[in-house]
Amino acid sequence: ERAWGWLAAYRDMGYRMLPLSLKGSSDSLDMLKAELAGKTTLVLGPSGAGKSTLTNHLVPGALAATREISQALNTGKHTTTSTTWYWVDKEAKTALIDSPGFQEFGLHHIDARHLSGLMPDIKPFVERCKFYNCTHLHEPGCGVIAAVKSDSSAGSISDRRYKIYRDLFAELDAPKF
Ligand SMILES: Nc1nc2c(ncn2[C@@H]2O[C@H](COP(=O)(O)OP(=O)(O)OP(=O)(O)O)[C@@H](O)[C@H]2O)c(=O)[nH]1
Ligand SMILES: [Mg+2]
Ligand SMILES: [Zn+2]
């Protein structure tokens, strides 16, 4: 329930969410199958997220190795070490690509000043900023900061998303050497 709540900001941005439980039967897998039909899909996520488990559910005979997540670290163990293309159907129209889990998702090709324009929930408020080169971190008259403080559900930005903006900005703005 908590994870579903965290994802509300993404649902509001128009991303479709399918909750899946791969242990025990689930109807949601049928919805996913319908969604993937006729497409090539790359399965992405941190180690231990269940990418190979999902692959084995969708591709009978895939025999992709899966492993318990580390009790000590509560993270995956990088069980999958190479990227593999599987055909889901005999007609070879639907494909699934299982991939090794990532530890870090690099956005280093992005300029910190362009970040706000790339976040769909933050972008609409940028035009309300007083300064054209606003970083949305501390400036007076910032439309983004106003939207974070706003209570209205329509014209607002969630605290969690704004924190992600600030963390990414700091990371992208840090000296590279
Ligand atoms: N309870 C539960 N456990 C799951 C689910 N999906 C996967 N698991 C378990 O999570 C563990 C890790 O799953 P994997 O499929 O190996 O994860 P992965 O994303 O392929 O990991 P890497 O190959 O290391 O990137 C296994 O013990 C799975 O049985 C799920 O929906 N529910
Ligand atoms: Mg795997
Ligand atoms: Zn601003």
Side-chain angles (χ1 to χ4, degrees):
E1 214 166 280
R2 197 171 46 149
W4 189 247
W6 286 349
L7 294 169
Y10 299 88
R11 285 194 297 275
D12 291 346
M13 276 181 253
Y15 292 106
R16 186 142 175 251
M17 305 280 157
L18 285 181
L20 291 178
S21 173
L22 300 176
K23 294 212 166 156
S25 69
S26 78
D27 305 336
S28 49
L29 210 55
D30 288 336
M31 287 170 72
L32 181 66
K33 278 182 189 163
E35 192 75 34
L36 304 184
K39 296 174 192 153
T40 297
T41 301
L42 176 62
V43 187
L44 273 182
S47 183
K51 299 179 294 300
S52 298
T53 306
L54 178 69
T55 302
N56 287 334
H57 270 85
L58 296 175
V59 186
L63 300 177
T66 62
R67 203 157 65 173
E68 287 307 317
I69 60 171
S70 159
Q71 293 290 332
L73 298 169
N74 194 26
T75 61
K77 294 172 174 174
H78 296 283
T79 308
T80 304
T81 53
S82 62
T83 302
T84 308
W85 178 297
Y86 297 97
W87 289 115
V88 176
D89 54 343
K90 285 198 196 74
E91 297 75 25
K93 291 209 167 84
T94 304
L96 206 65
I97 304 171
D98 189 18
S99 70
F102 51 76
Q103 246 158 358
E104 200 189 350
F105 193 76
L107 292 171
H108 299 289
H109 55 294
I110 293 170
D111 187 317
R113 306 266 160 176
H114 294 155
L115 181 64
S116 58
L118 298 169
M119 297 178 69
D121 49 343
I122 292 184
K123 189 181 179 189
F125 300 99
V126 170
E127 61 188 32
R128 301 185 192 175
C129 297
K130 188 171 167 191
F131 303 108
Y132 83 98
N133 58 354
C134 188
T135 61
H136 325 300
L137 297 175
H138 50 70
E139 289 87 344
C142 170
V144 171
I145 294 172
V148 176
K149 289 185 177 154
S150 153
D151 301 327
S152 95
S153 59
S156 71
I157 297 168
S158 81
D159 290 342
R160 186 172 287 274
R161 286 284 298 172
Y162 182 57
K163 183 178 185 312
I164 291 173
Y165 171 78
R166 282 200 323 234
D167 290 351
L168 284 175
F169 189 99
E171 197 180 308
L172 299 178
D173 200 40
K176 302 276 190 281
F177 305 103

